[in-house]
């Protein structure tokens, strides 16, 4: 058992001692995809949704990863089971086009690489709202693929941290797309509105569950883009991600936002937490 567990192409050990190959295309091109979710009671939350998105990202990047879903689950579970006890863990895995001499063109006859890590995680309290900054979205247009090319998001989150904020909300012109590593939705006049899943946003798993829970609780859902002005005037703004679940927004660029529909946002947060707890509790 280790506190932080690392895995690379079948080898496992303490994360701090693991090494990756110098030929791994992630190092030169970010040529790969990744997934992440929280784990409680050694059960990864919404694993099938994450594996669906993983296979879709691999297909879109034409990475010939042959491992079957059940085998991927088994490898992830090995790493989870090697971690020291903690109420919640963070599970991350990435698949790259494999190891070869640097060359932009796809290498032939090379096996993709699988890297996994698990570390202890503390979930943020949903009672402490997020502060955001806003930035122009300068990412390329393959945002629907969960690729390792994350420089614009890294820079955006650094700007947010420097401003004492939790996340950066991104917009292309007036249209809000998503946050640097989360999706964003608004509540206005009792309706939950969120950007559609086109190539400008990542189809977030938390976003998907939030929409389903809203519908279950009689909150109408509209998948249409909204503007920065609409975001600033929303009754509530909600930031969603696998690591933090559903966070209420209290300010953007230091201007107070939301706080006008506390009942619906609490209902959604409670429903989400309840779903997380139920699906990460072993039965029998
Ligand atoms: N959007 C971006 C750009 C992200 O990187 C992430 C998560 O990493 C999300 C949205 C949220 O997705 P999920 O809810 O599947 O974690």
């Amino acid at each position: 058992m280790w506190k932080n567990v690392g895995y690379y192409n079948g080898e496992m050990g303490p994360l701090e001692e693991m090494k990756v190959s110098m030929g791994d295309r992630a190092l030169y091109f970010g040529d790969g995809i990744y997934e992440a979710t929280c784990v409680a009671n050694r059960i990864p939350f919404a694993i099938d949704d994450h594996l669906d998105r993983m296979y879709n990202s691999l297909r879109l990047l034409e990475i010939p990863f042959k491992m079957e879903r059940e085998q991927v689950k088994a490898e992830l579970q090995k790493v989870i089971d090697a971690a020291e006890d903690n109420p919640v863990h963070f599970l991350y895995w990435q698949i790259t086009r494999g190891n070869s001499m640097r060359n932009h063109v796809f290498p032939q006859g090379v096996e993709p690489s699988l890297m996994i890590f698990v570390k202890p995680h503390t979930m943020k309290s949903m009672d402490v709202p997020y502060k955001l900054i806003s930035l122009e979205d300068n990412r390329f247009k393959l945002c629907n693929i969960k690729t390792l090319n994350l420089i614009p998001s890294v820079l955006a989150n650094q700007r947010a941290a420097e401003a004492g904020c939790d996340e950066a909300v991104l917009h292309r012109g007036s249209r809000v797309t998503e946050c640097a590593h989360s999706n964003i939705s608004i509540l206005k006049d009792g309706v939950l509105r969120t950007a559609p899943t086109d190539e400008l946003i990542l189809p977030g798993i938390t976003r998907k569950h939030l929409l389903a829970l809203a519908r279950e609780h009689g909150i109408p859902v509209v998948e249409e883009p909204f503007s920065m002005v609409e975001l600033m005037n929303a009754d509530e703004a909600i930031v969603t991600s696998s690591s933090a679940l559903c966070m209420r927004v209290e300010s953007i660029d230091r201007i107070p936002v939301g706080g006008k529909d506390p009942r619906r946002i609490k209902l959604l947060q409670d429903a989400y937490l309840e779903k997380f707890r139920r699906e990460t509790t072993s039965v029998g």
Side-chain angles (χ1 to χ4, degrees):
M1 295 273 218
W2 301 290
K3 181 170 176 234
N4 304 306
V5 189
Y7 167 110
Y8 187 63
N9 290 337
E11 276 183 47
M12 194 162 69
L15 182 140
E16 298 77 4
E17 290 172 21
M18 295 294 293
K19 290 193 167 54
V20 300
S21 161
M22 215 179 135
D24 195 311
R25 287 175 64 91
L27 300 175
Y28 303 106
F29 307 112
D31 188 1
I33 61 98
Y34 73 107
E35 280 298 331
T37 188
C38 287
V39 177
N41 302 311
R42 305 202 180 265
I43 302 172
F45 179 63
I47 190 64
D48 280 303
D49 287 312
H50 286 277
L51 290 172
D52 287 346
R53 186 171 63 188
M54 177 195 91
Y55 282 114
N56 192 47
S57 296
L58 288 165
R59 182 180 61 79
L60 292 168
L61 290 193
E62 301 167 51
I63 294 179
F65 183 64
K66 297 204 188 64
M67 198 183 282
E68 300 287 344
R69 172 180 292 253
E70 289 312 310
Q71 180 71 37
V72 178
K73 278 189 189 175
E75 298 303 290
L76 295 172
Q77 197 64 48
K78 263 191 228 165
V79 185
I80 293 168
D81 291 343
E84 285 171 7
D85 278 341
N86 203 61
V88 180
H89 291 96
F90 183 74
L91 167 68
Y92 173 99
W93 68 107
Q94 69 178 40
I95 296 157
T96 73
R97 206 179 300 278
N99 298 324
S100 66
M101 192 53 82
R102 185 181 185 278
N103 181 355
H104 286 64
V105 177
F106 297 174
Q108 295 304 308
V110 162
E111 283 296 311
S113 290
L114 172 62
M115 188 175 104
I116 309 170
F117 76 76
V118 169
K119 63 169 186 163
H121 182 66
T122 307
M123 280 182 132
K124 291 192 171 142
S125 161
M126 289 202 249
D127 295 334
V128 183
Y130 264 15
K131 293 183 175 64
L132 309 183
I133 58 164
S134 68
L135 291 174
E136 182 67 33
D137 189 345
N138 59 5
R139 299 173 301 166
F140 60 22
K141 287 191 184 162
L142 297 174
C143 299
N144 54 321
I145 313 174
K146 204 164 165 60
T147 80
L148 297 171
N149 295 111
L150 293 174
I151 277 298
S153 306
V154 167
L155 294 176
N157 275 136
Q158 178 61 23
R159 298 292 92 85
E162 286 164 1
C165 290
D166 307 282
E167 248 289 25
V169 58
L170 309 176
H171 53 89
R172 290 193 193 252
S174 62
R175 177 184 162 174
V176 175
T177 50
E178 58 180 336
C179 294
H181 61 271
S182 328
N183 293 110
I184 186 161
S185 308
I186 55 174
L187 276 167
K188 185 70 181 175
D189 300 329
V191 175
L192 183 69
R193 184 152 155 206
T194 199
T197 51
D198 54 18
E199 64 181 12
L200 299 183
I201 72 160
L202 184 80
I205 309 297
T206 321
R207 171 194 177 282
K208 177 182 144 178
H209 292 311
L210 179 75
L211 302 193
L213 288 170
R215 290 189 179 104
E216 267 174 43
H217 287 84
I219 299 175
V221 171
V222 180
E223 290 184 67
E224 279 171 14
F226 53 86
S227 67
M228 274 307 291
V229 173
E230 287 170 308
L231 172 59
M232 300 307 290
N233 293 319
D235 293 339
E236 300 287 355
I238 311 164
V239 169
T240 55
S241 71
S242 295
S243 58
L245 307 186
C246 307
M247 305 301 290
R248 184 167 78 74
V249 177
E250 69 171 13
S251 69
I252 302 178
D253 299 330
R254 295 172 181 254
I255 301 166
V257 166
K260 295 182 215 107
D261 195 349
R263 188 185 66 80
R264 282 193 185 80
I265 198 157
K266 180 88 171 70
L267 184 146
L268 290 170
Q269 288 178 319
D270 288 350
Y272 208 99
L273 204 53
E274 152 66 16
K275 176 182 173 66
F276 179 86
R277 292 210 174 114
R278 195 178 56 243
E279 294 183 15
T280 54
T281 304
S282 50
V283 277

